Amino acid sequence: MSTQILIIVFAPLVAALIAGLGNRMIGNVAAKSVTTAGLFLAAGLSWPIFLGFLSGTATPEVVPVLKWVQSGTLTFDWALRVDTMTAIMLVVINSVSALVHLYSWGYMEEDPDQPRFFAYLSLFTFAMLMLVTADNLVQMFFGWEGVGLASYLLIGFWFRKPSAGAAAIKAFVVNRVGDLGFMLGIFGTYLVFQTTSIPAILEAAPAMSGSTITFVGMRLYTMDILCILLFVGAMGKSAQLGLHTWLPDAMEGPTPVSALIHAATMVTAGVFMVCRLSPMFETAPTALMLVTIIGAATCFFAATIGTTQWDIKRVIAYSTCSQLGYMFFAAGVGAYGAAMFHLFTHAFFKALLFLGAGSVIHAMHHEQDMRYYGGLRKHIPLTFWAMMAGTLAITGVGILGVFGFAGFYSKDAILEAAYARHNGAGQFAFWAGAIAALLTSFYSWRLMFLTFWGKPRWDQSEHIQHAVHDDHGHGDHAHGHDDHHHAHASDDGTAGYHPHESPVSMLLPLGILSLGAVLAGFVFHTQFIDSASFWNGSIFYNEGLIHAMHGVPLWVKLTATAVMLIGLAGAYVAYIAKPDIPGKFVGTFGALHNFVFRKWYFDELYDAIFVKPAFALGRAFWKLGDIGTIDRFGPNGIAWVVERSSVAAKAIQSGYVYTYALIMLLGLVAAVTFVLL
């Protein structure tokens, strides 16, 4: 397995270096070919490892790469850990990344910077692989920061577009806030355990239960403090409530970026980290309660916003935020297997939805506003069926004991685990998750109905006609060389859209991901949820909780299906049967709608509390400190003194001999006077 894992991890890095350094010298086709081939090789080698752990034939292994740091008591090597957790993530990361690479052949076809784009994609994949194969916390942090860098590069890929640059900076800054907590958690963990080795820390963690440490002048439980600090890092990377504001803005990057980073891989890094360190979190009940509450709150909060957005990508972005909340509260109640299972299924159906949305945007000449869609199922039927599979999966459609789509198994397991926990945080999470499931069903079917059903709304749209002449279109490709919406003019001079199905390179990934959305839950749920041997010690497996999950009342098991049907019915009535209802609702509850539509005013709040004061402080230092003090009394002040002195000196430099003779005489008199006195 050692050679296999080395190829899996380093193939994307080699491909990224070739495409990035070769760039336009090797050309688009060569750059795309080498990166896509590298990822399909990595994905092809990842599946046998995963299936080996699934069947019980594979054993955990650590593959050394090189000696890294030896400084006093601090020693760690670069080594790749391969166990069940790693195997799951290898399949998710490499499979989705390979399909995104292939999809991007069609989607980015018109872009002049394709080698750079594909190099960034492969670099991101390598950083993510570093994170999930980490055998120690420092290597995990290396991968953690690597995906942060790569996401910054990908979100701001169209750097000539001001909104893309702003979104990239926002993602980078918000993640630095979370990463400060993660760094403090790593420092504290080393201080307590005198090692950064993950297996050594997890083995020693139970013995530290109940111990205390002084933190910010208070005596607090050691493990609670360490786990809360580590969770702050997870909140930033996985966009949990409070540090979530970067994720929706990250949609400024190309759609394939959204599918790779903001659905399947980077945003799940926080969930992976909490599950990887689950034996540590199990010794920290306060931290687990915090994880549960924040996860459940995020789940509900993001789902409410998803119901009001018009941009197709933003709806799916808030959906991602909400689904991550499910994963966290599953981990918080101790159902780490269910959390990882939802991570696994979510990767397939959410990547499918993002790439499906990209196909719709491509068909609609880069229009992203769902108000100008409608009736598209007849024009792009393959995209429609792919997105239908994704929608059935995310809303959790299924029949208990018979068959269900991917989300049916993983989401239901999470709700059952929260209910079975029988504590306050668990009950809060169950009800928040149930309401979020209703809202998820509503906004997912709202997206489908607005996009694929009803009358076409693109021909009559003044918005579209305006966009044709608007050199600053807000579409996915609105950047540098491609600043318009490519609408076609019809004979009468009005703007007319002609939706078209996407090329094969975009449809093939949709078809493969559709299989995952349909079958991933049904095929794998027994191993993920019920099999302790499958996990083989790679997470904390709570047998008692699993038994309690299966013993919950029938109404609990049916809750997710019931709320899914209510959400579906609500969306059908509001957007198909009686399409005037949303307008009436907004008219009646305008303040509530505005509050949710404006994302609970988090951006405005942060702008008032952090951004404007920071700018004001910066301006004060600039105007008063830099210009008013340093420049005034420094270089400008010295220059002024020299200038004044030169003017004075110039007055006595007349050039007449008698003037100089007089000055010499006066100087001599002064000198004699000084000596005599």
Side-chain angles (χ1 to χ4, degrees):
M1 193 193 291
S2 55
T3 308
Q4 207 173 339
I5 192 67
L6 287 170
I7 294 172
I8 289 170
V9 171
F10 290 105
L13 176 63
V14 172
L17 290 173
I18 293 171
L21 298 177
N23 208 296
R24 295 184 188 180
M25 186 172 65
I26 64 172
N28 290 347
V29 175
K32 291 191 290 189
S33 299
V34 72
T35 50
T36 307
L39 261 298
F40 271 97
L41 174 65
L45 293 173
S46 299
W47 276 95
I49 294 176
F50 172 68
L51 295 174
F53 281 102
L54 200 68
S55 62
T57 56
T59 53
E61 188 178 334
V62 177
V63 180
V65 178
L66 49 81
K67 294 281 183 188
W68 200 355
V69 169
Q70 287 180 305
S71 175
T73 58
L74 179 62
T75 303
F76 50 86
D77 298 334
W78 190 355
L80 309 176
R81 167 165 291 277
V82 187
D83 56 14
T84 306
M85 281 272 289
T86 311
I88 293 166
M89 296 304 290
L90 290 180
V91 162
V92 166
I93 294 162
N94 288 320
S95 299
V96 173
S97 185
L99 293 172
V100 166
H101 275 72
L102 177 59
Y103 180 92
S104 299
W105 278 63
Y107 196 84
M108 301 296 287
E109 190 178 3
E110 299 171 11
D111 200 283
D113 283 335
Q114 290 174 58
R116 180 166 65 91
F117 179 76
F118 280 82
Y120 287 171
L121 283 184
S122 292
L123 177 66
F124 168 83
T125 309
F126 166 72
M128 195 69 203
L129 293 170
M130 279 287 90
L131 194 160
V132 300
T133 56
D135 191 43
N136 61 71
L137 290 175
V138 181
Q139 187 182 327
M140 185 181 276
F141 187 70
F142 171 75
W144 194 270
E145 293 303 299
V147 293
L149 167 67
S151 70
Y152 169 78
L153 295 173
L154 284 165
I155 295 165
F157 176 74
W158 288 321
F159 53 84
R160 295 184 187 88
K161 190 177 168 189
S163 58
I169 292 169
K170 187 175 183 179
F172 203 74
V173 171
V174 173
N175 270 277
R176 293 296 71 75
V177 175
D179 291 351
L180 175 63
F182 192 44
M183 289 165 67
L184 291 173
I186 293 172
F187 297 154
T189 303
Y190 175 71
L191 184 72
V192 170
F193 294 101
Q194 291 299 297
T195 181
T196 61
S197 166
I198 292 172
I201 291 165
L202 299 185
E203 189 180 345
M208 294 302 297
S209 182
S211 67
T212 58
I213 192 173
T214 301
F215 182 73
V216 293
M218 295 181 285
R219 200 74 188 163
L220 301 165
Y221 286 110
T222 307
M223 298 309 293
D224 278 326
I225 290 301
L226 295 182
C227 290
I228 288 170
L229 288 171
L230 292 168
F231 176 60
V232 170
M235 285 176 65
K237 198 64 75 193
S238 296
Q240 293 302 283
L241 188 61
L243 295 179
H244 67 281
T245 53
W246 67 270
L247 182 60
D249 286 15
M251 297 305 107
E252 290 292 341
T255 298
V257 172
S258 306
L260 179 61
I261 297 184
H262 310 119
T265 52
M266 178 179 130
V267 290
T268 58
V271 180
F272 169 82
M273 185 264 286
V274 171
C275 292
R276 171 63 89 198
L277 303 178
S278 52
M280 197 173 161
F281 275 81
E282 280 297 310
T283 63
T286 305
L288 279 181
M289 184 176 72
L290 185 69
V291 172
T292 307
I293 291 170
I294 288 182
T298 305
C299 180
F300 170 75
F301 154 81
T304 62
I305 299 173
T307 61
T308 62
Q309 301 301 303
W310 293 114
D311 186 317
I312 189 169
K313 284 173 68 178
R314 281 182 179 263
V315 174
I316 305 173
Y318 279 108
S319 169
T320 298
C321 210
S322 182
Q323 299 303 310
L324 288 165
Y326 276 109
M327 297 175 211
F328 274 111
F329 81 67
V333 299
Y336 303 101
M340 287 301 297
F341 187 34
H342 198 52
L343 186 159
F344 180 77
T345 59
H346 174 261
F348 293 107
F349 63 69
K350 189 51 64 69
L352 173 62
L353 286 169
F354 263 122
L355 295 183
S359 186
V360 172
I361 292 165
H362 185 269
M364 293 299 293
H365 309 283
H366 312 301
E367 173 58 59
Q368 292 176 211
D369 193 322
M370 296 186 295
R371 285 172 291 189
Y372 307 109
Y373 290 171
L376 285 176
R377 72 184 190 281
K378 296 171 186 173
H379 298 273
I380 45 173
L382 298 176
T383 300
F384 163 69
W385 284 112
M387 288 202 73
M388 178 60 81
T391 303
L392 292 170
I394 192 173
T395 55
V397 173
I399 300 171
L400 197 63
V402 181
F403 175 80
F405 292 84
F408 174 75
Y409 293 96
S410 54
K411 192 187 289 185
D412 284 26
I414 289 172
L415 291 174
E416 288 164 21
Y419 184 85
R421 194 64 182 173
H422 292 307
N423 61 15
Q427 295 304 301
F428 169 70
F430 171 77
W431 289 109
I435 296 168
L438 190 156
L439 296 172
T440 301
S441 179
F442 178 82
Y443 67 65
S444 297
W445 290 110
R446 169 181 179 261
L447 184 153
M448 291 297 288
F449 292 146
L450 281 171
T451 304
F452 295 107
W453 270 272
K455 293 178 181 176
R457 296 182 294 278
W458 59 84
D459 279 330
Q460 300 81 14
S461 167
E462 290 179 13
H463 166 93
I464 301 299
Q465 294 177 38
H466 172 69
V468 178
H469 307 290
D470 180 6
D471 285 336
H472 306 284
H474 69 276
D476 202 4
H477 280 197
H479 67 289
H481 70 286
D482 189 16
D483 271 336
H484 53 84
H485 284 270
H486 299 292
H488 305 294
S490 57
D491 294 336
D492 61 357
T494 61
Y497 268 20
H498 306 287
H500 53 87
E501 192 59 276
S502 298
V504 175
S505 62
M506 291 170 66
L507 292 175
L508 187 60
L510 292 181
I512 296 170
L513 288 168
S514 296
L515 286 175
V518 174
L519 297 173
F522 180 71
V523 173
F524 297 115
H525 73 277
T526 305
Q527 285 85 356
F528 274 86
I529 304 297
D530 297 324
S531 176
S533 60
F534 167 65
W535 291 107
N536 203 8
S538 62
I539 61 168
F540 181 87
Y541 189 79
N542 190 332
E543 291 270 11
L545 181 64
I546 302 305
H547 288 306
M549 277 171 59
H550 294 311
V552 297
L554 182 62
W555 69 266
V556 174
K557 295 183 179 184
L558 294 175
T559 296
T561 301
V563 294
M564 178 275 295
L565 292 171
I566 294 169
L568 167 59
Y572 177 80
V573 169
Y575 293 97
I576 299 292
K578 296 182 179 178
D580 59 330
I581 286 180
K584 290 178 179 176
F585 179 88
V586 172
T588 308
F589 302 101
L592 174 64
H593 175 268
N594 207 39
F595 175 72
V596 176
F597 182 73
R598 298 295 294 271
K599 301 163 285 192
W600 293 34
Y601 292 104
F602 265 95
D603 282 327
E604 289 83 353
L605 185 67
Y606 286 177
D607 193 53
I609 296 175
F610 300 114
V611 178
K612 282 180 178 154
F615 273 105
L617 189 64
R619 272 193 297 273
F621 279 123
W622 170 41
K623 297 277 191 184
L624 300 176
D626 197 5
I627 296 174
T629 305
I630 296 171
D631 284 354
R632 183 180 178 189
F633 297 109
N636 293 349
I638 292 168
W640 182 83
V641 170
V642 170
E643 184 189 354
R644 293 292 103 195
S645 304
S646 66
V647 170
K650 188 168 71 174
I652 58 173
Q653 298 291 336
S654 66
Y656 295 114
V657 174
Y658 58 78
T659 304
Y660 297 133
L662 176 63
I663 290 169
M664 289 169 65
L665 182 62
L666 289 172
L668 183 63
V669 170
V672 170
T673 305
F674 177 76
V675 170
L676 291 176
L677 295 177

